[in-house]
Amino acid sequence: MDSHIFTSNKITSFLCLCSLIIPFLSLIEAQASLCRTTCGDIPINYPFGIDDGCGSPYYRHMLVCSDLGKLQLRTPSGRYPVRSISYSDPHILVTDPLMWNCQDGDNFRPTRPFSLDTSTPFTLSSQNDYLFFNCSEDYVIVEPKPIFCERFPDRCDSSCDSASYLCRHLPECASALSASSCCSYYPKATESLRLMLRYCASYTSVYWKSVGSTTDSPYSQVPEYGIRVDFDVPVTTHCLQCQDPSKGAGTCGFDTQTHNFLCLCKEGNVTSYCKGHDISRHKRAGVIAGTVAGVSAAGVIGIGLGVWALKKVRAKAPVTCGVQSNENRIF
């Protein structure tokens, strides 16, 4: 009877130990994969990262890649689908499904003002134009801007231009509005946009897309629906050295605990660059990159610990397994 209890307890102990080792090995495997460089067909390069610890800490948690490979931008006003990212002319193009589109016509759906966190390196591009529909003239100055500005220069910036080129030539659907008014206004702050939407039925954003190889031509830009968000690329000597092909072509990242710079290499993480340095695994929790070799080593150590622990098991009390849970960070 006692022998049976002792054997049962040893088996239970082994199962409990395995339940602790397996998640540990899974964590090491997760660390072994370097930062993802695409989400769907959109390239993810520095300063961005969709895996924690990748890219610049200034853009941490800003981009989200769904399980379906859809990239989204997080802002205080919600999540917005990303259509494209340009790194040569740094900007992100996003869309807001709640904004007016050609299919809506004179039917205006409830919307919300788009906003950015002013503490981030993101800014709304000056290449955006905003069109507002069916605004109440009791609260909004709806006037042809050239004439109004000539008569009231001090109030020019407060007017919504009813003579806007875009209102007269709506992109892709010039005749979409048949019984609604339209005017163009560039809100300088989120509060201005919020006030405009209080007195207008809806709005949409149009950005001027550069086409061709020259910007001197009057036809070098065409209007398209969307919101252009500009961003800065924080270039540092550490990151340039890390990315240098002659020094190992590492990936710029950071320690998720301290935000200190890390160069993520195939063999592990270093604080400078990959080639010519002794690579050692960065042991702080939450850092992404690592090695498959580390997985094997961790497996051997884990199994060794398991055997050692089993030898120490005594049949003194029933063994119970603890339950571990990971707490996800919500932005």
Side-chain angles (χ1 to χ4, degrees):
M1 182 65 179
D2 291 341
S3 174
H4 173 73
I5 294 175
F6 180 75
T7 302
S8 175
N9 282 343
K10 284 202 297 183
I11 294 173
T12 306
S13 297
F14 179 76
L15 293 176
C16 288
L17 189 60
C18 286
S19 70
L20 296 177
I21 292 174
I22 289 173
F24 172 74
L25 292 177
S26 299
L27 173 61
I28 298 301
E29 288 174 359
Q31 291 176 338
S33 61
L34 293 175
C35 308
R36 286 175 289 173
T37 56
T38 60
C39 178
D41 58 355
I42 300 177
I44 306 298
N45 300 329
Y46 185 83
F48 298 120
I50 51 177
D51 299 298
D52 201 11
C54 300
S56 168
Y58 294 109
Y59 294 98
R60 187 182 187 183
H61 302 307
M62 294 296 173
L63 293 180
V64 182
C65 187
S66 72
D67 294 337
L68 300 176
K70 301 296 182 182
L71 190 64
Q72 294 179 315
L73 172 68
R74 275 183 171 136
T75 81
S77 54
R79 293 188 183 189
Y80 299 89
V82 175
R83 188 185 300 173
S84 64
I85 301 178
S86 171
Y87 296 94
S88 57
D89 176 21
H91 72 271
I92 298 177
L93 181 62
V94 302
T95 57
D96 184 352
L98 295 181
M99 282 186 175
W100 180 90
N101 59 56
C102 289
Q103 289 69 39
D104 290 336
D106 292 304
N107 300 312
F108 301 109
R109 297 172 288 114
T111 187
R112 64 187 174 192
F114 178 85
S115 67
L116 291 173
D117 185 346
T118 56
S119 66
T120 67
F122 286 125
T123 56
L124 283 173
S125 173
S126 58
Q127 296 184 33
N128 294 323
D129 274 325
Y130 300 91
L131 305 181
F132 295 84
F133 306 106
N134 280 3
C135 297
S136 170
E137 296 190 22
D138 293 335
Y139 299 97
V140 180
I141 303 173
V142 181
E143 294 284 349
K145 204 156 193 175
I147 300 174
F148 182 81
C149 291
E150 184 178 339
R151 292 174 56 196
F152 307 100
D154 57 327
R155 301 173 65 189
C156 182
D157 290 342
S158 301
S159 63
C160 193
D161 186 11
S162 59
S164 164
Y165 169 85
L166 290 174
C167 281
R168 292 180 288 110
H169 303 86
L170 288 170
E172 304 172 16
C173 52
S175 58
L177 298 177
S178 59
S180 303
S181 63
C182 170
C183 64
S184 176
Y185 174 72
Y186 189 91
K188 295 182 178 180
T190 303
E191 187 58 31
S192 311
L193 179 55
R194 190 175 289 111
L195 286 173
M196 286 291 290
L197 288 179
R198 184 180 298 177
Y199 304 116
C200 301
S202 188
Y203 85 122
T204 194
S205 175
V206 176
Y207 80 103
W208 290 91
K209 179 182 178 180
S210 298
V211 294
S213 58
T214 176
T215 57
D216 297 334
S217 169
Y219 304 105
S220 63
Q221 291 185 319
V222 295
E224 287 192 7
Y225 293 106
I227 307 170
R228 172 173 165 146
V229 178
D230 294 336
F231 63 88
D232 297 324
V233 180
V235 179
T236 65
T237 303
H238 286 306
C239 185
L240 291 175
Q241 288 182 338
C242 174
Q243 293 175 325
D244 189 342
S246 67
K247 295 184 177 181
T251 300
C252 298
F254 60 93
D255 187 308
T256 58
Q257 299 293 322
T258 65
H259 287 187
N260 291 336
F261 174 81
L262 284 178
C263 186
L264 311 182
C265 312
K266 291 181 180 179
E267 294 81 10
N269 305 329
V270 293
T271 56
S272 51
Y273 50 87
C274 302
K275 192 174 181 180
H277 282 69
D278 292 331
I279 305 296
S280 61
R281 176 172 299 279
H282 196 77
K283 298 183 182 299
R284 288 186 179 274
V287 179
I288 296 301
T291 64
V292 176
V295 177
S296 302
V300 172
I301 293 170
I303 293 172
L305 289 173
V307 173
W308 177 83
L310 284 177
K311 289 181 179 180
K312 296 292 183 180
V313 171
R314 295 178 180 179
K316 289 185 177 180
V319 181
T320 58
C321 294
V323 178
Q324 288 186 322
S325 63
N326 293 324
E327 188 175 80
N328 295 324
R329 183 184 187 279
I330 299 177
F331 174 78

